[in-house]
Amino acid sequence: VALAAQLSGAITLAVVYDAPAADLNGATAGSDNAVTWTEGSNATHAPVTIAAGAVLSDADNSNLTRMTITVEGVLDGNSEMLTIGGQQFLLGTDYSNVTAGGFKVSYTGGVFTILPASAVTATVSSYQSLLRGISYFEPSNDNPTAGNRTFTVQLTDAGDDNSGTSNELLTSVWQTITLTVAPVNDQPLLSGLDAVSYAENTINLTPAFLDTSITLADIALYAYTHKCEDGGFTLADYPAVGRWLERVSGVKGYIAID
């Protein structure tokens, strides 16, 4: 029986580390997400979560070192905000190392940088929970500017040893959240009505006003009216309008429009 020649050799396995991935809409096709924030009509405005079904993953790591969110298209300055980890961040103001839900959040130049609060890394699931809870709204702006705001998200992994100290950290592909702001035309309001009563014989003799302190207002006019002097108009001849503007600005939770 003839035996085949014996061959020997070496097989080299080259390890390739995978970058993290962010699927911002979860089970829906694609990885980007789209949401709409609709102004409340003569009602308290409600926030909307921007990526409630987001799924974060990394085939090689159970930890991440950073999440970056860029913000574009802000049209109403500090009237717009994101709530991250229970903390509110006005989108016209910079922040540095704000503790929020176990993370440190900084915001400058339209970029959020989210790092673990007390370590180099945090788990993928922790970052996922944080992202799923981020919400947007304009709490006190009754005349929001229509249009799209965009939030792009990128993740940074913890390196080949999952410790975050490696020089070979990989980043995910940028994924985008498109948020559409939908204003609503508020109905005008009638306020200042007082209960009155009149004696029959008296009112038969002389007509009387039902209410001399009644006021009419449309909150949607506030945004333009309180800045009218910037356009060369004066409210000096309209003291009642001035007093109304003061009452609006005195409402709890009021945020000035830059």
Side-chain angles (χ1 to χ4, degrees):
V1 177
L3 298 176
Q6 195 174 44
L7 300 176
S8 64
I11 298 175
T12 301
L13 299 179
V15 178
V16 176
Y17 292 99
D18 297 290
D23 184 349
L24 300 180
N25 63 28
T28 306
S31 296
D32 294 333
N33 196 35
V35 295
T36 298
W37 179 79
T38 302
E39 174 198 354
S41 179
N42 289 332
T44 302
H45 297 169
V48 60
T49 51
I50 64 173
V55 175
L56 308 185
S57 60
D58 190 324
D60 304 311
N61 295 108
S62 58
N63 294 329
L64 299 173
T65 57
R66 175 190 302 255
M67 180 163 62
T68 304
I69 302 175
T70 66
V71 182
E72 296 181 355
V74 174
L75 299 175
D76 295 324
N78 278 334
S79 291
E80 303 185 52
M81 68 170 61
L82 287 185
T83 299
I84 303 175
Q87 297 294 322
Q88 295 180 337
F89 296 88
L90 305 180
L91 297 184
T93 299
D94 289 348
Y95 298 87
S96 178
N97 291 324
V98 177
T99 300
F103 292 86
K104 291 287 188 181
V105 180
S106 297
Y107 178 65
T108 183
V111 179
F112 281 101
T113 301
I114 304 175
L115 305 173
S118 58
V120 178
T121 66
T123 63
V124 173
S125 60
S126 294
Y127 269 106
Q128 177 176 282
S129 295
L130 184 76
L131 178 58
R132 286 181 173 184
I134 295 176
S135 63
Y136 168 95
F137 79 135
E138 299 193 32
S140 61
N141 184 8
D142 280 295
N143 195 29
T145 304
N148 291 341
R149 282 65 163 161
T150 57
F151 306 96
T152 53
V153 179
Q154 185 185 66
L155 309 173
T156 302
D157 73 6
D160 53 11
D161 61 358
N162 204 38
S163 70
T165 59
S166 168
N167 292 325
E168 299 181 0
L169 304 182
L170 300 179
T171 56
S172 67
V173 174
W174 290 98
Q175 303 295 348
T176 302
I177 301 164
T178 301
L179 182 140
T180 301
V181 171
V184 172
N185 185 20
D186 295 290
Q187 294 175 315
L189 300 176
L190 182 65
S191 63
L193 292 173
D194 298 320
V196 295
S197 60
Y198 298 100
E200 177 184 353
N201 292 335
T202 301
I203 200 66
N204 284 341
L205 295 174
T206 305
F209 291 104
L210 293 177
D211 196 320
T212 58
S213 63
I214 189 172
T215 61
L216 293 172
D218 188 340
I219 192 65
L221 298 177
Y222 176 82
Y224 303 103
T225 306
H226 89 294
K227 289 290 187 179
C228 68
E229 294 186 356
D230 293 348
F233 298 92
T234 179
L235 294 177
D237 296 331
Y238 306 96
V241 174
R243 291 192 295 272
W244 174 68
L245 296 177
E246 291 177 358
R247 290 196 297 274
V248 172
S249 63
V251 172
K252 183 179 180 180
Y254 172 83
I255 297 176
I257 301 175
D258 297 330

